[in-house]
Each structure stands twice: as C-alpha cells, then as structure tokens.
Amino acid sequence: TWGGRVIKSVPRHEVYASGKVLQTLSSTSLTSPTYVGFLMVLYKEAALAKVKLDSLCTELTSRVNTKLGTAEVELLLATLKSKTRAMEKAAEKYDSHYNRLTDLCRLTFGCATIDGMIAVIEELRESDQMEIVLIKDQCLRAFDAGAIGGYRNILLNLRMEESGHVVEVQVTLRALLSLRMGVGTQPTSLFACSISTTQPPRPTPGS
C-alpha cells in the first residue's frame, strides 16, 4: 500500500505467467501480437515513450533531491532493449507474444536510502502523466532473491498517459547497483532490504 492506495505486487513467476499488463498499439491497425510487424511498430512507440519518460523522470529526480535536501537519487537512463534480446525473451517466456514485452523502454533510479526509494515511488504514483499498473516488489524479505544472485529492487510497470505504451522503471539502492556491476567486495546475496523500514540493508551476521 502506498499513500493509502493498494497496488498489486506479485511473485516473479506469477508475473511471467500473467497476461494482465499488455502492450497495445496506438498508431496502427495491427492486432496479431505474434506478428513481427507488431514488434517493429512497438519499437517505434517505445522510442517516443522513452523521450517522455526520460524527461519526466529527470524532473522527478530533481524534485526528490530538493525535497530530501541531498543528492539522494541518481537517474540512470538506458537505451531501448535490443531487438534480438526482445525476440529471445518473447520466445522464451511469452510464446512469442510481443504485446507482453513491457521493458523495451526502461530506466533505473539508484537511491542512497530506503527513504529515497519511497520518495521516488510516491512521486511516480502521484504523476498524472504515468499510471502505475504493476509493481514487482523484490525488496520484500519473503521474496527469494537467490535466483538473481541476491539482488533486490522494485520493478514498476507504468503506462504512459499520452501513448498508452507500458514502460519499466527500476527503483533500487545504489549500493546494490554497485555490487551488481562488480564494484565492491561483498556478494549481493549478503543483502536484503524491506520497504517497511527506513534503515539501509545490512550484511548478515558474521559477514
């Protein structure tokens, strides 16, 4: 629950099995999500959505840092997912249904603390230009992060108001991002965090 609003959070395997968050095309009459032409048009719309998303989230980052009075949040922009990888993912997980690809356009918020993560998500929730349609909360202690090396984050699918294109936003701790990229001395499996606390994650005893 964020700000009194209940937002769905589901396990990773259920997310992959779910068909509730789907891409729709606004600029064509193509309806078959398995047609490669659908994917090509989807990429054109993802490119347009990226311009808007990057701009909105740059402004959001500035607001959060001003509000918290520190360089709490760093925005990490990303290129669109490669077409090769998108086709591989669709084949592996979605039976080649390209309308289930919701991470062609994506970016990451790296936060110094849990408070920063909460502030970012609150800003996203309050936006009138993006709607949160799904949260994959991998910061819950109940989530088994072993399959992804112990890395934890909160992944949000947002639907852009102008185009209806669904994008993916990752919110995580900068410390975990650094460890994931090989910077640091401790494996990410030593870390766990929960959005129910304002304290940063700590290494397990004896580490």
Side-chain angles (χ1 to χ4, degrees):
T1 301
W2 295 90
R5 178 182 175 188
V6 177
I7 302 175
K8 186 179 180 183
S9 178
V10 298
R12 189 178 181 87
H13 71 278
E14 289 186 17
V15 170
Y16 288 147
S18 173
K20 292 186 177 180
V21 181
L22 301 176
Q23 297 281 17
T24 56
L25 301 180
S26 62
S27 59
T28 179
S29 60
L30 288 174
T31 57
S32 174
T34 59
Y35 176 49
V36 71
F38 186 101
L39 179 62
M40 296 303 103
V41 175
L42 193 61
Y43 262 97
K44 292 181 180 179
E45 298 194 354
L48 295 175
K50 174 176 166 53
V51 175
K52 186 68 173 181
L53 178 68
D54 289 357
S55 175
L56 290 172
C57 289
T58 296
E59 295 173 2
L60 185 156
T61 299
S62 179
R63 287 197 302 273
V64 171
N65 285 337
T66 298
K67 177 181 178 181
L68 298 182
T70 111
E72 168 70 37
V73 178
E74 178 182 2
L75 178 62
L76 304 175
L77 303 179
T79 59
L80 296 180
K81 182 186 289 291
S82 74
K83 291 184 175 68
T84 298
R85 177 56 193 142
M87 295 179 77
E88 289 174 348
K89 182 174 182 179
E92 293 168 0
K93 297 178 178 177
Y94 306 135
D95 195 26
S96 293
H97 282 67
Y98 300 120
N99 62 339
R100 297 179 67 181
L101 292 170
T102 56
D103 62 348
L104 300 185
C105 175
R106 64 272 173 89
L107 54 72
T108 299
F109 289 98
C111 306
T113 65
I114 298 294
D115 285 341
M117 293 177 66
I118 292 174
V120 166
I121 293 174
E122 288 177 341
E123 284 277 345
L124 291 171
R125 181 180 64 82
E126 293 170 2
S127 174
D128 61 358
Q129 299 187 65
M130 302 178 286
E131 177 192 5
I132 296 176
V133 291
L134 185 69
I135 289 184
K136 312 168 193 179
D137 189 347
Q138 297 172 170
C139 279
L140 292 173
R141 294 186 184 278
F143 175 77
D144 180 6
I148 53 176
Y151 180 68
R152 293 180 180 272
N153 59 20
I154 297 178
L155 291 175
L156 302 98
N157 283 138
L158 300 102
R159 195 178 300 278
M160 305 302 291
E161 183 65 26
E162 285 186 3
S163 64
H165 188 84
V166 179
V167 302
E168 182 178 273
V169 171
Q170 175 185 169
V171 183
T172 189
L173 294 171
R174 286 205 296 264
L176 293 179
L177 276 175
S178 296
L179 289 166
R180 189 184 192 191
M181 293 184 289
V183 179
T185 59
Q186 297 176 338
T188 58
S189 59
L190 294 180
F191 288 81
C193 65
S194 169
I195 58 174
S196 63
T197 175
T198 58
Q199 298 299 315
R202 299 176 180 177
T204 53
S207 61

